[in-house]
Amino acid sequence: MNRRRFEHLILEVSLAVGKTVPRYRLWLRLHDLGWNPEELACKEVLAFCDDGLAIFLAELGLKLAPRDARRVRKAIARFDPEVLSPYERVSTG
C-alpha cells in the first residue's frame, strides 16, 4: 500500500517541474538513501523533499521554484495512501 507514496511523489514532482521525472532513477535514489520505495513512510518522503529533491532535480537539469517546492511538500504531507483517489475507485469498481 505504501508504494502509493512513491507514485504520489512522482506525480507531484512531475507536475511541479512540468516534465515527467524518471521513475527508475528516483527509485534508485531513494533506495540508495536506505529507503524501500515500496514501503515509504511519510517522514521519509518529507525528508527527501527537504534534503534530496533539489539535488536530484539538478542532476536532471531541472529546478523547482521555492513556492513550487513548498506546494509539493504540502501535498506530500497531506497524502493518505489509505484513501483511494476517484480514479482508483472507479477503476477498481
Side-chain angles (χ1 to χ4, degrees), residues 39-84:
E39 295 293 329
L40 286 173
C42 184
K43 66 180 182 173
E44 294 168 339
V45 181
L46 292 175
F48 179 72
C49 287
D50 293 340
D51 300 327
L53 182 57
I55 296 166
F56 175 75
L57 291 175
E59 291 171 359
L60 299 172
L62 302 170
K63 185 177 178 180
L64 267 180
R67 182 177 185 197
D68 292 330
R70 286 190 303 272
R71 188 195 60 73
V72 166
R73 190 184 195 290
K74 187 176 179 179
I76 295 296
R78 283 192 324 247
F79 180 71
D80 181 357
E82 299 295 323
V83 177
L84 296 178

Short mmCIF file of all heavy atoms in Angstrom, two decimals, residues 39-84:
data_model
loop_
_atom_site.label_atom_id
_atom_site.label_comp_id
_atom_site.label_asym_id
_atom_site.label_seq_id
_atom_site.Cartn_x
_atom_site.Cartn_y
_atom_site.Cartn_z
N GLU A 39 7.79 0.73 0.46
CA GLU A 39 7.27 0.90 1.82
C GLU A 39 7.69 2.25 2.41
O GLU A 39 8.14 2.31 3.56
CB GLU A 39 7.77 -0.24 2.72
CG GLU A 39 7.26 -1.60 2.33
CD GLU A 39 5.77 -1.75 2.53
OE1 GLU A 39 5.21 -1.11 3.45
OE2 GLU A 39 5.14 -2.49 1.75
N LEU A 40 7.57 3.32 1.66
CA LEU A 40 7.99 4.63 2.16
C LEU A 40 7.05 5.13 3.25
O LEU A 40 5.83 5.07 3.11
CB LEU A 40 7.99 5.65 1.02
CG LEU A 40 9.12 5.54 0.02
CD1 LEU A 40 8.87 6.51 -1.14
CD2 LEU A 40 10.45 5.82 0.67
N ALA A 41 7.65 5.65 4.30
CA ALA A 41 6.88 6.32 5.33
C ALA A 41 6.78 7.79 4.95
O ALA A 41 7.62 8.32 4.21
CB ALA A 41 7.57 6.17 6.69
N CYS A 42 5.80 8.46 5.48
CA CYS A 42 5.62 9.87 5.18
C CYS A 42 6.86 10.67 5.57
O CYS A 42 7.30 11.54 4.82
CB CYS A 42 4.38 10.39 5.91
SG CYS A 42 3.99 12.11 5.52
N LYS A 43 7.43 10.36 6.73
CA LYS A 43 8.61 11.12 7.19
C LYS A 43 9.79 10.95 6.24
O LYS A 43 10.58 11.87 6.06
CB LYS A 43 8.99 10.72 8.60
CG LYS A 43 9.47 9.32 8.76
CD LYS A 43 9.84 8.99 10.19
CE LYS A 43 10.36 7.56 10.23
NZ LYS A 43 10.88 7.22 11.52
N GLU A 44 9.91 9.79 5.59
CA GLU A 44 10.99 9.57 4.64
C GLU A 44 10.79 10.42 3.38
O GLU A 44 11.73 11.04 2.88
CB GLU A 44 11.09 8.09 4.28
CG GLU A 44 11.50 7.22 5.44
CD GLU A 44 11.32 5.75 5.18
OE1 GLU A 44 10.53 5.36 4.29
OE2 GLU A 44 11.98 4.96 5.89
N VAL A 45 9.58 10.45 2.89
CA VAL A 45 9.31 11.25 1.68
C VAL A 45 9.50 12.73 1.98
O VAL A 45 10.09 13.46 1.18
CB VAL A 45 7.88 10.98 1.15
CG1 VAL A 45 7.62 11.79 -0.10
CG2 VAL A 45 7.68 9.51 0.86
N LEU A 46 9.07 13.17 3.14
CA LEU A 46 9.25 14.58 3.52
C LEU A 46 10.73 14.91 3.70
O LEU A 46 11.18 15.99 3.29
CB LEU A 46 8.47 14.90 4.79
CG LEU A 46 6.96 14.87 4.65
CD1 LEU A 46 6.29 15.08 5.99
CD2 LEU A 46 6.47 15.90 3.63
N ALA A 47 11.50 13.99 4.26
CA ALA A 47 12.94 14.20 4.40
C ALA A 47 13.59 14.32 3.02
O ALA A 47 14.47 15.17 2.81
CB ALA A 47 13.57 13.06 5.20
N PHE A 48 13.15 13.50 2.09
CA PHE A 48 13.68 13.60 0.72
C PHE A 48 13.32 14.94 0.10
O PHE A 48 14.16 15.58 -0.54
CB PHE A 48 13.17 12.45 -0.15
CG PHE A 48 13.66 12.52 -1.55
CD1 PHE A 48 14.98 12.24 -1.86
CD2 PHE A 48 12.81 12.88 -2.59
CE1 PHE A 48 15.45 12.32 -3.17
CE2 PHE A 48 13.26 12.96 -3.89
CZ PHE A 48 14.58 12.68 -4.18
N CYS A 49 12.09 15.38 0.30
CA CYS A 49 11.66 16.68 -0.23
C CYS A 49 12.52 17.80 0.34
O CYS A 49 12.88 18.74 -0.36
CB CYS A 49 10.19 16.94 0.09
SG CYS A 49 9.05 15.95 -0.88
N ASP A 50 12.85 17.69 1.62
CA ASP A 50 13.63 18.74 2.29
C ASP A 50 15.10 18.72 1.91
O ASP A 50 15.72 19.77 1.75
CB ASP A 50 13.50 18.60 3.81
CG ASP A 50 12.10 18.90 4.31
OD1 ASP A 50 11.33 19.55 3.59
OD2 ASP A 50 11.79 18.45 5.43
N ASP A 51 15.68 17.53 1.78
CA ASP A 51 17.13 17.43 1.64
C ASP A 51 17.64 16.90 0.31
O ASP A 51 18.75 17.22 -0.08
CB ASP A 51 17.71 16.53 2.75
CG ASP A 51 17.42 17.07 4.13
OD1 ASP A 51 17.39 18.30 4.30
OD2 ASP A 51 17.23 16.25 5.06
N GLY A 52 16.86 16.09 -0.39
CA GLY A 52 17.41 15.44 -1.58
C GLY A 52 16.76 15.80 -2.89
O GLY A 52 17.35 15.58 -3.95
N LEU A 53 15.56 16.34 -2.84
CA LEU A 53 14.82 16.58 -4.08
C LEU A 53 15.51 17.60 -4.98
O LEU A 53 15.66 17.38 -6.18
CB LEU A 53 13.38 17.01 -3.78
CG LEU A 53 12.49 17.26 -4.99
CD1 LEU A 53 12.41 16.02 -5.88
CD2 LEU A 53 11.12 17.71 -4.55
N ALA A 54 15.94 18.70 -4.41
CA ALA A 54 16.59 19.74 -5.22
C ALA A 54 17.86 19.21 -5.90
O ALA A 54 18.11 19.49 -7.08
CB ALA A 54 16.92 20.96 -4.36
N ILE A 55 18.62 18.40 -5.18
CA ILE A 55 19.85 17.81 -5.74
C ILE A 55 19.50 16.84 -6.86
O ILE A 55 20.11 16.85 -7.93
CB ILE A 55 20.68 17.12 -4.64
CG1 ILE A 55 21.16 18.15 -3.62
CG2 ILE A 55 21.84 16.34 -5.23
CD1 ILE A 55 21.68 17.56 -2.33
N PHE A 56 18.51 15.99 -6.60
CA PHE A 56 18.07 15.02 -7.61
C PHE A 56 17.62 15.73 -8.88
O PHE A 56 18.01 15.36 -9.99
CB PHE A 56 16.94 14.17 -7.02
CG PHE A 56 16.34 13.21 -8.01
CD1 PHE A 56 17.01 12.06 -8.40
CD2 PHE A 56 15.09 13.46 -8.57
CE1 PHE A 56 16.46 11.18 -9.32
CE2 PHE A 56 14.52 12.58 -9.48
CZ PHE A 56 15.21 11.45 -9.85
N LEU A 57 16.81 16.76 -8.72
CA LEU A 57 16.32 17.50 -9.89
C LEU A 57 17.45 18.22 -10.62
O LEU A 57 17.47 18.27 -11.85
CB LEU A 57 15.23 18.48 -9.48
CG LEU A 57 13.92 17.85 -9.03
CD1 LEU A 57 12.96 18.92 -8.52
CD2 LEU A 57 13.28 17.04 -10.13
N ALA A 58 18.40 18.77 -9.88
CA ALA A 58 19.54 19.45 -10.50
C ALA A 58 20.34 18.49 -11.38
O ALA A 58 20.82 18.86 -12.45
CB ALA A 58 20.43 20.08 -9.43
N GLU A 59 20.47 17.24 -10.93
CA GLU A 59 21.17 16.24 -11.73
C GLU A 59 20.46 15.97 -13.05
O GLU A 59 21.08 15.54 -14.02
CB GLU A 59 21.31 14.94 -10.94
CG GLU A 59 22.25 15.05 -9.76
CD GLU A 59 22.21 13.84 -8.85
OE1 GLU A 59 21.43 12.90 -9.12
OE2 GLU A 59 22.96 13.84 -7.86
N LEU A 60 19.16 16.22 -13.07
CA LEU A 60 18.36 16.03 -14.29
C LEU A 60 18.26 17.31 -15.10
O LEU A 60 17.58 17.34 -16.13
CB LEU A 60 16.95 15.55 -13.91
CG LEU A 60 16.85 14.23 -13.17
CD1 LEU A 60 15.42 13.99 -12.71
CD2 LEU A 60 17.33 13.09 -14.03
N GLY A 61 18.87 18.37 -14.61
CA GLY A 61 18.78 19.66 -15.30
C GLY A 61 17.45 20.36 -15.03
O GLY A 61 17.04 21.21 -15.82
N LEU A 62 16.81 20.01 -13.93
CA LEU A 62 15.51 20.59 -13.58
C LEU A 62 15.63 21.36 -12.28
O LEU A 62 16.54 21.13 -11.49
CB LEU A 62 14.46 19.48 -13.43
CG LEU A 62 14.23 18.60 -14.65
CD1 LEU A 62 13.35 17.41 -14.29
CD2 LEU A 62 13.60 19.41 -15.77
N LYS A 63 14.69 22.26 -12.08
CA LYS A 63 14.70 23.06 -10.85
C LYS A 63 13.27 23.38 -10.45
O LYS A 63 12.41 23.62 -11.30
CB LYS A 63 15.47 24.36 -11.09
CG LYS A 63 15.65 25.19 -9.86
CD LYS A 63 16.47 26.42 -10.15
CE LYS A 63 16.58 27.26 -8.88
NZ LYS A 63 17.36 28.46 -9.09
N LEU A 64 13.04 23.38 -9.15
CA LEU A 64 11.74 23.77 -8.60
C LEU A 64 11.87 25.15 -7.97
O LEU A 64 12.80 25.40 -7.20
CB LEU A 64 11.31 22.80 -7.49
CG LEU A 64 10.45 21.63 -7.84
CD1 LEU A 64 10.15 20.81 -6.59
CD2 LEU A 64 9.18 22.03 -8.51
N ALA A 65 10.95 26.02 -8.28
CA ALA A 65 10.90 27.32 -7.60
C ALA A 65 10.55 27.05 -6.14
O ALA A 65 9.86 26.07 -5.83
CB ALA A 65 9.84 28.21 -8.25
N PRO A 66 11.02 27.91 -5.23
CA PRO A 66 10.71 27.70 -3.80
C PRO A 66 9.22 27.53 -3.53
O PRO A 66 8.83 26.69 -2.72
CB PRO A 66 11.27 28.95 -3.13
CG PRO A 66 12.38 29.40 -4.04
CD PRO A 66 11.91 29.06 -5.43
N ARG A 67 8.39 28.31 -4.20
CA ARG A 67 6.94 28.20 -3.99
C ARG A 67 6.43 26.82 -4.42
O ARG A 67 5.61 26.21 -3.75
CB ARG A 67 6.23 29.30 -4.76
CG ARG A 67 4.75 29.29 -4.57
CD ARG A 67 4.11 30.43 -5.30
NE ARG A 67 2.69 30.46 -5.00
CZ ARG A 67 1.81 31.11 -5.71
NH1 ARG A 67 2.19 31.80 -6.76
NH2 ARG A 67 0.55 31.08 -5.37
N ASP A 68 6.92 26.34 -5.56
CA ASP A 68 6.52 25.02 -6.04
C ASP A 68 7.02 23.91 -5.11
O ASP A 68 6.33 22.92 -4.88
CB ASP A 68 7.02 24.77 -7.46
CG ASP A 68 6.33 25.67 -8.47
OD1 ASP A 68 5.16 26.03 -8.23
OD2 ASP A 68 6.96 25.99 -9.49
N ALA A 69 8.23 24.08 -4.58
CA ALA A 69 8.78 23.09 -3.64
C ALA A 69 7.92 23.02 -2.38
O ALA A 69 7.65 21.93 -1.87
CB ALA A 69 10.22 23.44 -3.29
N ARG A 70 7.46 24.16 -1.89
CA ARG A 70 6.58 24.18 -0.71
C ARG A 70 5.24 23.51 -1.03
O ARG A 70 4.70 22.77 -0.21
CB ARG A 70 6.35 25.61 -0.23
CG ARG A 70 7.55 26.21 0.48
CD ARG A 70 7.21 27.52 1.16
NE ARG A 70 6.67 28.53 0.26
CZ ARG A 70 7.38 29.39 -0.45
NH1 ARG A 70 8.71 29.38 -0.37
NH2 ARG A 70 6.80 30.28 -1.24
N ARG A 71 4.73 23.75 -2.23
CA ARG A 71 3.46 23.14 -2.62
C ARG A 71 3.59 21.62 -2.72
O ARG A 71 2.72 20.88 -2.26
CB ARG A 71 2.98 23.71 -3.96
CG ARG A 71 1.57 23.25 -4.31
CD ARG A 71 1.22 23.49 -5.75
NE ARG A 71 2.08 22.80 -6.71
CZ ARG A 71 2.06 21.49 -6.95
NH1 ARG A 71 1.24 20.71 -6.30
NH2 ARG A 71 2.86 20.95 -7.85
N VAL A 72 4.69 21.15 -3.27
CA VAL A 72 4.93 19.70 -3.38
C VAL A 72 5.02 19.10 -1.98
O VAL A 72 4.39 18.08 -1.69
CB VAL A 72 6.21 19.40 -4.19
CG1 VAL A 72 6.64 17.95 -4.02
CG2 VAL A 72 6.00 19.72 -5.65
N ARG A 73 5.78 19.74 -1.11
CA ARG A 73 5.94 19.22 0.25
C ARG A 73 4.59 19.17 0.98
O ARG A 73 4.28 18.21 1.67
CB ARG A 73 6.92 20.07 1.04
CG ARG A 73 7.30 19.42 2.35
CD ARG A 73 8.20 20.29 3.19
NE ARG A 73 8.82 19.57 4.26
CZ ARG A 73 8.18 19.10 5.33
NH1 ARG A 73 6.89 19.25 5.44
NH2 ARG A 73 8.84 18.46 6.27
N LYS A 74 3.80 20.20 0.80
CA LYS A 74 2.48 20.25 1.45
C LYS A 74 1.58 19.13 0.92
O LYS A 74 0.88 18.47 1.68
CB LYS A 74 1.84 21.61 1.21
CG LYS A 74 0.56 21.83 1.95
CD LYS A 74 0.05 23.25 1.73
CE LYS A 74 -1.25 23.48 2.46
NZ LYS A 74 -1.75 24.83 2.28
N ALA A 75 1.59 18.91 -0.39
CA ALA A 75 0.78 17.84 -0.98
C ALA A 75 1.24 16.47 -0.50
O ALA A 75 0.41 15.59 -0.24
CB ALA A 75 0.85 17.92 -2.51
N ILE A 76 2.54 16.29 -0.35
CA ILE A 76 3.08 15.02 0.14
C ILE A 76 2.67 14.81 1.60
O ILE A 76 2.27 13.71 1.98
CB ILE A 76 4.62 15.01 0.01
CG1 ILE A 76 5.05 15.05 -1.45
CG2 ILE A 76 5.23 13.81 0.73
CD1 ILE A 76 4.65 13.88 -2.28
N ALA A 77 2.74 15.85 2.40
CA ALA A 77 2.39 15.74 3.82
C ALA A 77 0.91 15.40 4.00
O ALA A 77 0.55 14.67 4.93
CB ALA A 77 2.74 17.03 4.55
N ARG A 78 0.06 15.93 3.13
CA ARG A 78 -1.39 15.69 3.24
C ARG A 78 -1.83 14.34 2.70
O ARG A 78 -2.91 13.86 3.02
CB ARG A 78 -2.16 16.75 2.43
CG ARG A 78 -2.27 18.07 3.06
CD ARG A 78 -3.29 18.93 2.31
NE ARG A 78 -3.29 18.72 0.87
CZ ARG A 78 -2.92 19.61 -0.03
NH1 ARG A 78 -2.53 20.79 0.34
NH2 ARG A 78 -2.97 19.33 -1.31
N PHE A 79 -1.02 13.72 1.90
CA PHE A 79 -1.40 12.49 1.22
C PHE A 79 -1.62 11.34 2.20
O PHE A 79 -0.78 11.06 3.06
CB PHE A 79 -0.33 12.10 0.19
CG PHE A 79 -0.64 10.85 -0.57
CD1 PHE A 79 -1.66 10.84 -1.51
CD2 PHE A 79 0.07 9.70 -0.34
CE1 PHE A 79 -1.95 9.67 -2.22
CE2 PHE A 79 -0.20 8.55 -1.05
CZ PHE A 79 -1.22 8.54 -1.99
N ASP A 80 -2.73 10.65 2.05
CA ASP A 80 -3.04 9.46 2.84
C ASP A 80 -3.17 8.28 1.88
O ASP A 80 -4.13 8.20 1.11
CB ASP A 80 -4.34 9.67 3.61
CG ASP A 80 -4.71 8.49 4.48
OD1 ASP A 80 -3.99 7.47 4.47
OD2 ASP A 80 -5.73 8.59 5.19
N PRO A 81 -2.23 7.34 1.93
CA PRO A 81 -2.27 6.22 0.98
C PRO A 81 -3.44 5.28 1.20
O PRO A 81 -3.75 4.46 0.34
CB PRO A 81 -0.94 5.50 1.21
CG PRO A 81 -0.52 5.88 2.58
CD PRO A 81 -1.06 7.26 2.81
N GLU A 82 -4.12 5.40 2.32
CA GLU A 82 -5.28 4.54 2.59
C GLU A 82 -6.53 4.99 1.83
O GLU A 82 -7.46 4.21 1.64
CB GLU A 82 -5.58 4.53 4.09
CG GLU A 82 -4.45 3.99 4.95
CD GLU A 82 -4.15 2.53 4.70
OE1 GLU A 82 -5.12 1.77 4.48
OE2 GLU A 82 -2.97 2.15 4.71
N VAL A 83 -6.56 6.25 1.42
CA VAL A 83 -7.73 6.81 0.74
C VAL A 83 -7.51 6.73 -0.77
O VAL A 83 -6.57 7.32 -1.30
CB VAL A 83 -7.96 8.28 1.17
CG1 VAL A 83 -9.14 8.87 0.42
CG2 VAL A 83 -8.15 8.37 2.68
N LEU A 84 -8.37 6.01 -1.44
CA LEU A 84 -8.27 5.87 -2.88
C LEU A 84 -8.71 7.16 -3.57
O LEU A 84 -9.64 7.82 -3.13
CB LEU A 84 -9.13 4.72 -3.38
CG LEU A 84 -8.76 3.32 -2.91
CD1 LEU A 84 -9.76 2.31 -3.45
CD2 LEU A 84 -7.35 2.96 -3.31
#
